């Protein structure tokens, strides 16, 4: 086997397709606790033999929209190639090819949300910096810009006037400090939350797991929950004593009215693991604005869940992945065994 070939194991296993090792450890540790064999497919600097069949097992796409900011600007294309290869062979993939296209396009996300009647921010897509300035002319300040393909809130900026955006337009041009990887920038109404936080509802196996309050009082739009994505200025909500950057919202449950339509959305789109973000406004709106299919979990929230005797998201995912592997693997072969890397 070539040193650059994607690694395989003899027994059916969970193949985790990803671009960032820093985000994988909680999941592989949870799979280890269950004794589930797993293999990491870190895509940069790898090859696939198109004449060969993919290995037996279950494939879990952990590819992210922000991969180009960490490793290789072409990771999105690597992921598409691997997912197409798996689909052609009929392999079972968690969050497969169509889901990945949703992950890397906020335009697609917006279209799917609108089509199902969710309240979303007013949004326009601009192809180039001058088109962005022109599109923003139809929005009342403040408004925000964001990359069509982005993650962790990277590239999201608030503008308090049209003149401010005009002065920064060159930053959105190719090679500029805020240039989008696919050339598409969104301009979007700024939705003011009733309280200085947004909510991220987490779903595993298409079902609600828990909701997390994410403090935004410091003005940051970088809302990734993982320790690897620190949130500058978070945790300064003066209306809530010592508000942590991330905390479970106990009052949001599977019975909360918004949750069932979100579960239906995920089922319709074949999304099995996701975090969906929304804002509650002073005038009673619940504005849904982002679907994350490469979801991470905050360690402090996860630790609090375990201290309260509840199952962590990582352990729940490991159970879901193990059960799905058992369904996908040939019945004559056990999917359980030592982890392979």
């Amino acid at each position: 086997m070539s040193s650059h070939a994607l690694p395989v194991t003899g027994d059916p296993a969970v193949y985790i397709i990803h671009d960032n090792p820093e985000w994988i450890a909680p999941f592989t540790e949870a799979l280890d606790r269950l004794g589930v064999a797993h293999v990491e497919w870190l895509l940069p600097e790898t090859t696939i033999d198109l004449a060969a069949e993919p290995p037996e097992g279950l494939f879990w796409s952990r590819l992210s929209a922000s991969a180009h900011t960490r490793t290789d600007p072409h990771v999105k294309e690597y992921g598409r190639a691997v997912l197409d290869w798996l689909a052609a062979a009929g392999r079972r993939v968690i969050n497969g090819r169509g889901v990945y296209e949703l992950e890397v396009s906020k335009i697609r996300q917006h279209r799917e949300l609108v089509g199902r009647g969710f309240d979303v921010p007013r949004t326009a897509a601009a192809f180039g910096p001058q088109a962005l300035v022109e599109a923003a002319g139809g929005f009342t300040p403040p408004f925000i810009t964001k990359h069509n393909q982005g993650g962790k809130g990277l590239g999201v900026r608030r503008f308090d006037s049209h003149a401010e955006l005009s002065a920064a337009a060159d930053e959105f041009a190719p090679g500029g400090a805020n240039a989008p990887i696919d050339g598409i920038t969104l301009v979007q109404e700024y939705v003011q939350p009733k309280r200085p936080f947004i909510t991220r509802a987490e779903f595993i196996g298409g079902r609600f797991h828990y909701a997390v309050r994410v403090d935004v009082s410091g003005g940051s739009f970088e809302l990734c929950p993982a320790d690897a994505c620190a949130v500058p200025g978070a945790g300064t909500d003066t209306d809530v004593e010592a508000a942590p950057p991330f905390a479970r919202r106990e009052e949001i449950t599977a019975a909360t009215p918004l949750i069932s339509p979100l579960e239906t959305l995920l089922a319709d789109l074949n999304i099995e693991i996701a975090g969906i973000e929304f804002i509650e406004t002073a005038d009673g709106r619940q504005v849904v604005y982002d679907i994350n299919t490469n979801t991470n979990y905050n360690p402090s929230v996860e630790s609090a869940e375990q201290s309260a005797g509840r199952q962590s998201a990582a352990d729940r995912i490991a159970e879901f992945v193990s059960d799905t592997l058992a369904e996908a693997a040939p019945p004559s072969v056990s999917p359980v065994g030592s982890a392979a890397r």
Side-chain angles (χ1 to χ4, degrees):
M1 178 185 295
S2 164
S3 62
H4 293 290
L6 292 170
V8 301
T9 184
D11 295 328
V14 178
Y15 291 86
I16 307 172
I17 308 163
H18 71 96
D19 54 67
N20 183 14
E22 291 185 14
W23 289 349
I24 301 301
F27 308 111
T28 55
E29 290 167 4
L31 289 169
D32 284 340
R33 287 192 288 272
L34 290 182
V36 177
H38 54 84
V39 180
E40 292 185 35
W41 279 4
L42 180 62
L43 291 193
E45 294 301 332
T46 53
T47 66
I48 54 176
D49 181 355
L50 297 181
E53 286 287 306
E56 296 291 344
L58 172 69
F59 301 83
W60 174 21
S61 174
R62 284 277 310 169
L63 298 167
S64 71
S66 59
H68 59 281
T69 69
R70 288 184 302 276
T71 52
D72 184 316
H74 302 297
V75 166
K76 179 173 66 173
E77 302 307 327
Y78 305 157
R80 284 174 168 152
V82 170
L83 294 175
D84 282 342
W85 180 55
L86 295 173
R91 295 297 187 263
R92 175 71 165 88
V93 182
I94 294 174
N95 285 1
R97 180 69 159 85
V99 175
Y100 188 43
E101 291 304 322
L102 194 78
E103 166 74 8
V104 299
S105 174
K106 295 191 184 300
I107 291 174
R108 288 183 183 232
Q109 294 177 25
H110 188 271
R111 183 189 66 200
E112 297 293 353
L113 291 167
V114 168
R116 289 164 176 79
F118 289 98
D119 189 351
V120 300
R122 181 187 168 213
T123 305
F127 311 141
Q130 294 310 310
L132 176 63
V133 172
E134 181 178 341
F139 287 74
T140 301
F143 51 81
I144 65 172
T145 60
K146 61 174 63 174
H147 295 177
N148 177 57
Q149 182 189 334
K152 305 185 298 180
L154 293 173
V156 182
R157 288 186 57 183
R158 169 175 164 160
F159 290 91
D160 293 316
S161 70
H162 296 109
E164 184 183 354
L165 175 61
S166 295
D170 287 348
E171 296 178 18
F172 295 88
N178 201 17
I181 190 66
D182 62 359
I184 304 173
T185 305
L186 307 184
V187 58
Q188 196 168 79
E189 69 167 304
Y190 174 72
V191 178
Q192 178 68 51
K194 179 180 180 180
R195 300 285 301 279
F197 64 83
I198 63 94
T199 300
R200 183 179 172 113
E202 300 290 357
F203 299 84
I204 300 170
R207 309 300 293 177
F208 177 73
H209 184 68
Y210 60 45
V212 175
R213 172 194 190 281
V214 184
D215 179 73
V216 294
S217 58
S220 174
F221 292 102
E222 297 191 23
L223 307 179
C224 167
D227 271 351
C229 325
V231 182
T236 57
D237 180 354
T238 56
D239 293 331
V240 179
E241 184 177 354
F246 298 90
R248 176 168 173 156
R249 290 194 65 183
E250 301 280 357
E251 73 276 20
I252 295 183
T253 69
T256 298
L258 180 62
I259 297 302
S260 180
L262 291 176
E263 289 182 339
T264 299
L265 167 77
L266 297 179
D268 289 348
L269 299 175
N270 297 313
I271 302 172
E272 296 174 275
I273 300 173
I276 300 181
E277 295 175 2
F278 64 91
I279 295 171
E280 295 160 301
T281 67
D283 58 359
R285 296 172 66 190
Q286 287 184 310
V287 182
V288 183
Y289 66 92
D290 200 17
I291 303 171
N292 300 275
T293 67
N294 178 47
T295 192
N296 290 293
Y297 305 94
N298 182 256
S300 63
V301 174
E302 291 282 89
S303 177
E305 289 295 287
Q306 293 177 313
S307 296
R310 295 186 291 234
Q311 190 175 39
S312 71
D315 284 329
R316 175 69 193 95
I317 283 180
E319 283 188 358
F320 169 67
V321 168
S322 179
D323 292 344
T324 307
L325 173 60
E327 296 170 1
S332 60
V333 181
S334 171
V336 178
S338 60
R341 291 186 176 87

